[in-house]
Amino acid sequence: MNNTLKYLGVGFVGGMIPFAFGFLLSSNYNTPLSEQVIDGDRVAKTVSYNGMPVEGSTSFVEASENTINSVVHVTTKVVRTQVQRDPFYEFFYGPGTGGREFKQYGSGSGSGVIVSSAGYIVTNNHVIQDASEIEVILNDNSKYTATVIGTDPSTDIAVLKIDAPGLRPISIGNSDDLRVGEWVLAVGNPFNLTSTVTAGIVSAKARNINLLSDRTRNTNVPIESFIQTDAAVNPGNSGGALVNTKGELVGINTAIASQTGSYTGYSFAVPVNLVNKVMRDIIDFGVVQRAYLGVQIADINQEIKEKNKLPSTKGVFISSVTENGGSEKAGVKQNWVILKVGAKEVNSVAALQEEIGKRRPGDKVNLTLRTEDGSEVIKEILLRSADGETALKSKEEMSKTAALGGTFAELTSKEKKELNLSFGVKVKTLEPGKLKSSGLSEGDIITKVNQTQIESVEQLTRLLNSAKGGVLLEIASESGKKEYIGFGL
């Protein structure tokens, strides 16, 4: 695709946009949302929609009326702090001294969707990222200050909460039931035009638009399995609702393909079945419980088909199997082909990632696979987290090893000896966040934070998670050279 892919937020709208996904579904997700409870309040009813044929002239009045009061306008104020180092001062007084802070002020705008009468709102992470203040404006123009319950950059989903009476949560549909060619509506606030409704059709499903190709080196591989539509959306629609003709939420509008920054015919939404899982995790655990099959996969093109003597391009090719992962433990082999997840056929990486993305660590899933000799087998896979665990973790537990988009690991005795270090912590993985944007890399060794010597992972994460203003990291490279990275919070 030659067009530039852009987020739909007003304010800080850049060129190429980062974002993505990956999740899980345990057996309790079979419970209809009408029976799920958030903080004692029932959330919007889940309705399975199989797509009704449209006859004659189509009216979207009912769908619009059922939706418009459930979509909100989200505005943000952002204060960015940067630390400028003074090399001359540091020469005399040491690294990290003499730094000056500079503040930059800005604002942003997007949309959100009310999903619970208790005040929970789903939006895009990029709409509220780095915001110091978040305000939600309802369709009746009443305004409320919102708090962030949690975010998931890997899916570009965030959950907010407001304290307001008489909220009208949207009805939740089933994105799996959407069909290409089905009518959908996009509801949001483009260019700050409140409560705008546009119509189009589903152009494609499980669309991978390579929006996060620069992040594929990370452990947490994003899921790109968007609903593509031709409903007109523009900057400001980010976080708004994609609904079917009954007014049931089927996706969260997130990105457009454009060379100008405005709508040119293509828009992309995160499927609501993924959104629902992420939302539930954030509300219930404070973090997303992401699971993995334990394989490296690829779409089957003609080259892979011929090289591996495959009978067709159907399925998803397994290029490698992760050591000690769920698939290896179940006996899955390299060069096999995944044909089905449960009863559902998968013919692309995006479709497979979406299916696994609805599940959690500890869930079991049956894969139908074609072996190298052409026979089909079914393997039950126990899904695991990135750390190889099957147990779910709380936000408090995860915060002990994660901060500012990074996860960390203790140095082994061998590593300390090779690096001639007696202290320090290694960067294990990096997702979008302050650490990655400041130039930190996976494998770097953090030895000091603001002149404090780092002795453990828990100490490092505690310092980073509680830091305010400027942060200066001392980094030790493999060559033994020390470098310094500074950034503001």
Side-chain angles (χ1 to χ4, degrees):
M1 183 178 293
N2 295 325
N3 289 344
T4 300
L5 293 158
K6 294 184 178 292
Y7 275 142
L8 307 177
V10 171
F12 298 104
V13 178
M16 294 302 294
I17 316 152
F19 81 160
F21 334 106
F23 334 13
L24 302 125
L25 183 71
S26 58
S27 58
N28 67 320
Y29 287 132
N30 293 325
T31 302
L33 271 178
S34 57
E35 298 176 20
Q36 295 181 12
V37 176
I38 297 177
D39 285 359
D41 286 274
R42 297 192 181 277
V43 298
K45 181 182 178 182
T46 295
V47 183
S48 177
Y49 177 53
N50 296 317
M52 297 186 302
V54 178
E55 299 178 2
S57 70
T58 303
S59 172
F60 303 119
V61 174
E62 182 180 355
S64 299
E65 290 178 345
N66 290 342
T67 306
I68 205 165
N69 290 305
S70 301
V71 176
V72 302
H73 192 185
V74 179
T75 62
T76 61
K77 293 181 180 179
V78 179
V79 180
R80 290 195 173 107
T81 304
Q82 293 183 331
V83 178
Q84 181 174 325
R85 294 170 56 199
D86 187 336
F88 181 79
Y89 199 91
E90 289 183 352
F91 178 80
F92 291 100
Y93 298 101
T97 60
R100 293 185 297 170
E101 291 185 6
F102 294 88
K103 294 185 182 296
Q104 293 180 319
Y105 299 87
S107 61
S109 176
S111 304
V113 183
I114 300 170
V115 293
S116 166
S117 58
Y120 289 102
I121 295 170
V122 170
T123 185
N124 282 137
N125 178 62
H126 75 261
V127 170
I128 54 90
Q129 189 172 16
D130 299 328
S132 55
E133 296 180 27
I134 303 173
E135 188 174 65
V136 167
I137 306 171
L138 304 184
N139 194 42
D140 63 4
N141 290 322
S142 57
K143 299 180 180 180
Y144 298 89
T145 298
T147 56
V148 178
I149 300 303
T151 64
D152 182 41
S154 291
T155 60
D156 197 31
I157 293 297
V159 178
L160 311 177
K161 192 173 188 298
I162 62 174
D163 184 11
L167 295 175
R168 293 180 56 180
I170 200 167
S171 293
I172 309 295
N174 186 341
S175 52
D176 286 349
D177 287 344
L178 271 182
R179 297 181 298 176
V180 174
E182 183 176 334
W183 282 104
V184 286
L185 307 180
V187 187
N189 306 281
F191 301 123
N192 288 317
L193 299 173
T194 304
S195 304
T196 298
V197 181
T198 57
I201 64 168
V202 176
S203 305
K205 294 183 66 178
R207 179 69 81 192
N208 185 335
I209 52 180
N210 295 315
L211 198 57
L212 297 166
S213 57
D214 63 320
R215 294 183 55 208
T216 55
R217 296 186 302 271
N218 292 342
T219 300
N220 291 331
V221 179
I223 290 179
E224 292 205 29
S225 186
F226 298 108
I227 301 166
Q228 180 183 324
T229 79
D230 65 356
V233 294
N234 277 291
N237 274 110
S238 270
L242 184 72
V243 301
N244 59 27
T245 53
K246 290 185 176 181
E248 299 159 358
L249 185 70
V250 292
I252 295 295
N253 295 315
T254 300
I256 56 176
S258 174
Q259 293 176 327
T260 65
S262 297
Y263 174 73
T264 56
Y266 303 102
S267 60
F268 303 91
V270 183
V272 75
N273 289 12
L274 286 178
V275 174
N276 184 38
K277 190 271 173 183
V278 174
M279 174 188 75
R280 293 300 327 184
D281 278 0
I282 288 175
I283 293 172
D284 294 343
F285 300 98
V287 291
V288 175
Q289 309 284 346
R290 187 163 286 114
Y292 299 89
L293 279 173
V295 293
Q296 297 294 316
I297 53 180
D299 290 320
I300 301 177
N301 54 27
Q302 190 65 23
E303 181 182 355
I304 290 178
K305 175 179 177 292
E306 293 176 357
K307 181 179 178 181
N308 294 277
K309 298 181 174 56
L310 303 177
S312 70
T313 56
K314 288 186 176 182
V316 178
F317 186 73
I318 299 176
S319 55
S320 66
V321 179
T322 305
E323 185 177 359
N324 294 322
S327 291
E328 184 189 63
K329 292 179 182 294
V332 176
K333 305 296 183 183
Q334 182 179 358
N335 298 333
W336 286 13
V337 174
I338 301 172
L339 301 173
K340 294 181 181 179
V341 177
K344 188 168 184 177
E345 292 185 359
V346 289
N347 290 307
S348 68
V349 168
L352 175 60
Q353 287 179 323
E354 182 180 346
E355 286 305 306
I356 300 303
K358 301 170 188 174
R359 296 164 170 80
R360 288 174 171 169
D363 288 350
K364 294 180 180 180
V365 61
N366 288 327
L367 297 185
T368 300
L369 305 112
R370 185 192 301 121
T371 66
E372 286 190 273
D373 64 10
S375 60
E376 290 189 9
V377 297
I378 296 177
K379 296 286 187 180
E380 184 181 74
I381 313 297
L382 177 62
L383 300 175
R384 299 174 181 272
S385 67
D387 296 329
E389 303 295 329
T390 58
L392 303 181
K393 295 182 179 179
S394 68
K395 188 174 185 178
E396 289 71 26
E397 290 175 303
M398 294 183 114
S399 68
K400 293 179 181 178
T401 59
L404 304 182
T407 63
F408 312 95
E410 306 285 357
L411 292 175
T412 64
S413 299
K414 181 180 179 182
E415 287 172 327
K416 288 182 178 179
K417 184 177 181 180
E418 291 175 346
L419 296 169
N420 193 28
L421 292 172
S422 59
F423 55 89
V425 165
K426 180 167 58 177
V427 179
K428 185 177 179 181
T429 65
L430 284 174
E431 290 192 352
K434 286 291 184 181
L435 297 181
K436 184 174 182 179
S437 63
S438 299
L440 206 67
S441 300
E442 293 176 5
D444 283 346
I445 310 298
I446 300 176
T447 50
K448 291 183 180 180
V449 175
N450 292 339
Q451 300 302 306
T452 299
Q453 187 171 291
I454 300 303
E455 304 285 353
S456 69
V457 169
E458 190 168 346
Q459 179 200 17
L460 172 62
T461 55
R462 185 176 65 252
L463 289 173
L464 291 178
N465 285 325
S466 63
K468 296 180 179 179
V471 173
L472 183 71
L473 304 180
E474 181 183 85
I475 309 298
S477 65
E478 293 183 359
S479 63
K481 181 181 178 181
K482 291 184 178 179
E483 299 177 350
Y484 296 89
I485 294 176
F487 56 88
L489 292 173

